[in-house]
Amino acid sequence: MSVPDDRRPTLAFAGATHTGMVREANEDNYVAEPMVFAVADGMGGHAAGEVASEIAADRLRARLKDGAASVDLMVAAVVEANAAIFQAAHSDSSQRGMGTTVVALAALVGPAFPTRLVLANVCDSRAYLFRDGILKRISVDHSYVQELVSTGHITEHEARTHPRRNIVTRALGIEPTVKVDTWVLPLVRGDRYLLCSDGLVDEVDDLDISIILEQESDQQAAADRLVAKANDNGGHDNTSVIVIDVLEGDEDPPVDFVPEFRPEVVLVDADPPPHGNPEIIVVPDEVEPPGRLRALLGTRRRRVVAAVEAVVVVAAIATVVALVLGG
Ligand code: MG
């Protein structure tokens, strides 16, 4: 499907990625093409994380190179990437337990509406909007500390240094299907989007990110400086960033944008998988999942155990009732 020129948003963009100062390999991958952008931060030992993030990047590049004709097609591309990673992980024992984050921004080019942008997120890579000198996070992390923040147990500030901030609650490749959060965003001239892996936000605070985005009008210069800043501050993780500027767009931003911005569309459930129950994955005990995923997989194990216990309790009650009635 080719997209007419008048439906292609005019965007200027650049990406950068770096292994960092501590890790031996870069398990991040990114996509930066005229109609689709994505950051994927792979997780898993023995280079499996790199495989997972590469599968995600390849699938999104292939499916969304002409943008997304609908939000559902964006979701479908992410769900397809999830299934491909899940399948790869289960067909090669060296890749068992691998997973990846994904945050993706694509042109939304359906014929029935004006061209907009659609954002999709799974896990804890992030999308920010920088408008009028103010940095606003759009995506919501699927992580343990995000849940603590959302329920008021800790502040955003405390979350930055929380010892369990690396535990994620949703990722691509862990279950046969995945829930994808999406947002539809207006095209507003002058808006600057930032997609990044956690290697950036763990090392560079919002103020320093804002200063760099304000000072560097060139997208590549901004991306390179953000990565360099993460490395200057320790570079404990791989860092990937994409900076995207909206050069043309005739939609006015909401007047109350800064304090009140809310995504237009949130959370589109993926279709249930054609096989199996997405809630139950039996992870063999001999498999040692990588650290960030251990808690996630542990939750699944506990859920399986709880389901078995529930069945046993119900069977016991039924037996007692049958005995009482029979007697
Ligand atoms: Mg990372």
Side-chain angles (χ1 to χ4, degrees):
M1 179 196 76
S2 69
V3 178
D5 283 348
D6 64 351
R7 298 197 65 81
R8 286 178 172 268
T10 308
L11 307 171
F13 56 90
T17 187
H18 197 277
T19 304
M21 311 309 285
V22 176
R23 302 278 176 94
E24 290 183 353
N26 191 347
E27 297 191 316
D28 287 1
N29 267 286
Y30 74 89
V31 178
E33 304 215 342
M35 304 285 271
V36 60
F37 313 91
V39 167
D41 175 353
M43 295 164 265
H46 309 293
E50 193 177 338
V51 173
S53 65
E54 189 174 6
I55 292 172
D58 287 349
R59 291 289 168 137
L60 294 182
R61 199 180 285 116
R63 287 283 171 249
L64 301 170
K65 65 181 188 302
D66 289 320
S70 69
V71 173
D72 285 348
L73 286 178
M74 173 63 131
V75 172
V78 176
V79 170
E80 184 184 312
N82 176 78
I85 297 162
F86 182 80
Q87 197 167 25
H90 284 74
S91 59
D92 180 341
S93 62
S94 71
Q95 296 174 353
R96 193 68 51 90
M98 70 176 173
T100 185
T101 73
V102 72
V103 61
L105 185 72
L108 187 58
V109 293
F113 44 79
T115 300
R116 291 182 163 189
L117 299 170
V118 56
L119 176 74
N121 183 56
V122 175
C123 209
D124 70 348
S125 290
R126 288 185 177 175
Y128 291 86
L129 171 58
F130 187 66
R131 176 186 286 168
D132 298 333
I134 293 171
L135 187 70
K136 184 85 182 168
R137 172 145 66 102
I138 306 172
S139 59
V140 179
D141 294 349
H142 301 128
S143 67
Y144 176 69
V145 292
Q146 179 64 51
E147 287 181 16
L148 293 180
V149 171
S150 299
T151 52
H153 286 86
I154 61 171
T155 64
E156 286 275 0
H157 183 70
E158 289 167 333
R160 292 188 63 83
T161 53
H162 195 282
R164 304 189 75 182
R165 67 186 179 282
N166 282 334
I167 295 176
V168 297
T169 54
R170 205 191 295 180
L172 289 195
I174 306 305
E175 301 192 18
T177 192
V178 70
K179 270 183 162 180
V180 184
D181 293 354
T182 59
W183 294 259
V184 174
L185 302 158
L187 272 174
V188 178
R189 188 194 319 248
D191 276 357
R192 170 169 267 195
Y193 287 94
L194 168 67
L195 305 185
C196 62
S197 58
D198 63 345
L200 178 71
V201 292
D202 281 355
E203 302 287 7
V204 187
D205 64 25
D206 286 5
L207 178 62
D208 284 340
I209 292 174
S210 300
I211 289 170
I212 291 170
L213 291 176
E214 183 71 40
Q215 290 179 344
E216 301 288 354
S217 58
D218 179 76
Q219 298 82 30
Q220 191 66 61
D224 290 344
R225 218 177 119 190
L226 287 166
V227 169
K229 185 74 175 172
N231 287 338
D232 287 349
N233 290 357
H236 293 88
D237 195 1
N238 311 143
T239 299
S240 299
V241 306
I242 307 173
V243 175
I244 305 138
D245 284 329
V246 180
L247 302 183
E248 253 182 287
D250 45 18
E251 286 193 60
D252 291 328
V255 285
D256 58 353
F257 166 75
V258 174
E260 299 294 341
F261 180 76
R262 289 291 182 273
E264 182 176 331
V265 176
V266 184
L267 198 62
V268 176
D269 282 343
D271 289 329
H275 55 278
N277 181 340
E279 289 302 310
I280 297 177
I281 296 174
V282 179
V283 182
D285 279 329
E286 68 271 20
V287 175
E288 183 64 7
R292 291 186 79 200
L293 296 176
R294 199 168 295 142
L296 178 59
L297 294 171
T299 303
R300 305 293 173 238
R301 281 203 196 99
R302 282 197 294 279
R303 204 173 289 165
V304 172
V305 170
V308 171
E309 285 172 352
V311 168
V312 170
V313 168
V314 168
I317 292 171
T319 304
V320 170
V321 169
L323 287 173
V324 169
L325 292 178

